[in-house]
Amino acid sequence: MRIARFVVDSDPAFGVVQGNDGQEEVAVINGDPFFSGVQLTGVRHKLEDVRLLAPIIPRSKVVGIGRNYAEHAQELGNEVPPAPLMFLKPNTAVVGPGDPVILPSFSDQVSFEAELAVVIGRICKDVPPERVDEVIFGYTCANDFTARDVQKTDNQWARAKGFDTSCPIGPWIETELDTETLGVRGWLDGTLTQNGNTSDMIWGVKELVSYVSQAFTLLPGDLILTGTPAGVGLITDGQRYEIEIDGIGRLSNPVRR
């Protein structure tokens, strides 16, 4: 099931995206599916007639995982960490499909990072790996924009990873997905730059959610970014980065200075 958040006239709403091949419609949901479940209202819109928003604005946090693909760690001259390397992004970093990413004034070297994002569906803590499926609402595409120059000079990654608009997500949340062998691709102005697979992740989804939940109580709508494959690079004013993850869809965002 594809859960979207969208706007037609004024107030945002949730809906289920149904159909394929350019014939998609959005069936409107009554209330918030994270707390009320999926209750259809009977109202429908053509997908082309709505504006998609970030499918969720985390009520609490975005937890990123660094260097979870060996080739990506190597391309930046880093060792693979002995355990998942965590960092936080504030919820003000989150934007939706088509929204501009605003390059921060304090950086001249911002990089794109295509990632699979896990969306948490219920409050949880210390989740054993075998029960991780019980706390996941679904999955979406994410772009972990990173100020590389600031990442190198600061002692921690708050500015480099957490600046406003640094975390586009979308186009919707896919609630049923096998994450073992998903293609993760990214294009800079139409040129393929990243072409990885989740099978190359050092730590898989179950391990990551379990590990993160040992440190943080996870709340409905929290996001866990699972790392990026090799092929990252710099992006500049006027360019666009597009992500595609098998089984989910495409996320595209322009960059502005």
Side-chain angles (χ1 to χ4, degrees):
M1 184 183 298
R2 294 172 290 177
I3 304 292
R5 182 169 161 265
F6 66 95
V7 65
V8 176
D9 297 316
S10 55
D11 295 332
F14 287 94
V16 178
V17 179
Q18 301 173 334
N20 293 290
D21 300 325
Q23 302 297 317
E24 294 96 340
E25 291 186 328
V26 182
V28 181
I29 293 172
N30 184 26
D32 186 334
F34 283 83
F35 295 96
S36 305
V38 176
Q39 304 175 35
L40 299 181
T41 65
V43 177
R44 305 176 71 87
H45 302 282
K46 292 182 179 180
L47 182 61
E48 62 191 39
D49 292 337
V50 309
R51 181 169 69 88
L52 292 176
L53 306 174
I56 185 67
I57 299 296
R59 295 160 173 82
S60 173
K61 54 194 168 292
V62 179
V63 183
I65 304 296
R67 303 170 191 168
N68 195 30
Y69 288 77
E71 289 186 4
H72 168 60
Q74 293 167 5
E75 73 179 343
L76 296 182
N78 298 309
E79 298 291 331
V80 173
L85 178 60
M86 293 188 291
F87 58 88
L88 295 173
K89 285 177 176 273
N91 59 9
T92 51
V94 174
V95 292
D99 290 339
V101 173
I102 306 303
L103 300 174
S105 59
F106 52 77
S107 174
D108 295 317
Q109 299 178 10
V110 173
S111 177
F112 49 78
E113 294 190 8
E115 309 204 8
L116 171 70
V118 181
V119 186
I120 299 300
R122 52 177 282 194
I123 187 169
C124 57
K125 173 70 175 173
D126 293 326
V127 184
E130 63 271 17
R131 298 193 64 183
V132 162
D133 287 344
E134 299 174 24
V135 306
I136 293 177
F137 184 86
Y139 307 88
T140 192
C141 305
N143 199 332
D144 175 24
F145 281 99
T146 304
R148 294 292 180 206
D149 44 0
V150 175
Q151 187 181 31
K152 293 175 182 177
T153 57
D154 287 5
N155 289 329
Q156 43 73 40
W157 296 355
R159 279 203 309 160
K161 295 278 193 179
F163 61 87
D164 287 351
T165 73
S166 66
C167 190
I169 62 171
W172 40 63
I173 298 169
E174 174 55 64
T175 61
E176 300 175 14
L177 192 65
D178 183 346
T179 62
E180 294 297 317
T181 57
L182 298 176
V184 180
R185 294 170 291 275
W187 293 264
L188 179 63
D189 288 343
T191 299
L192 183 66
T193 58
Q194 293 185 272
N195 189 9
N197 195 286
T198 57
S199 62
D200 296 324
M201 293 197 302
I202 299 167
W203 295 282
V205 167
K206 287 183 172 59
E207 295 168 289
L208 291 178
V209 174
S210 178
Y211 188 83
V212 171
S213 74
Q214 295 172 29
F216 310 113
T217 296
L218 296 172
L219 304 182
D222 280 355
L223 297 172
I224 299 176
L225 311 186
T226 60
T228 193
V232 303
L234 300 182
I235 191 167
T236 60
D237 178 42
Q239 293 188 300
R240 175 180 289 268
Y241 202 70
E242 185 171 22
I243 294 168
E244 181 179 58
I245 298 179
D246 293 345
I248 300 177
R250 288 198 172 209
L251 170 69
S252 179
N253 296 88
V255 166
R256 302 284 183 265
R257 174 65 68 181

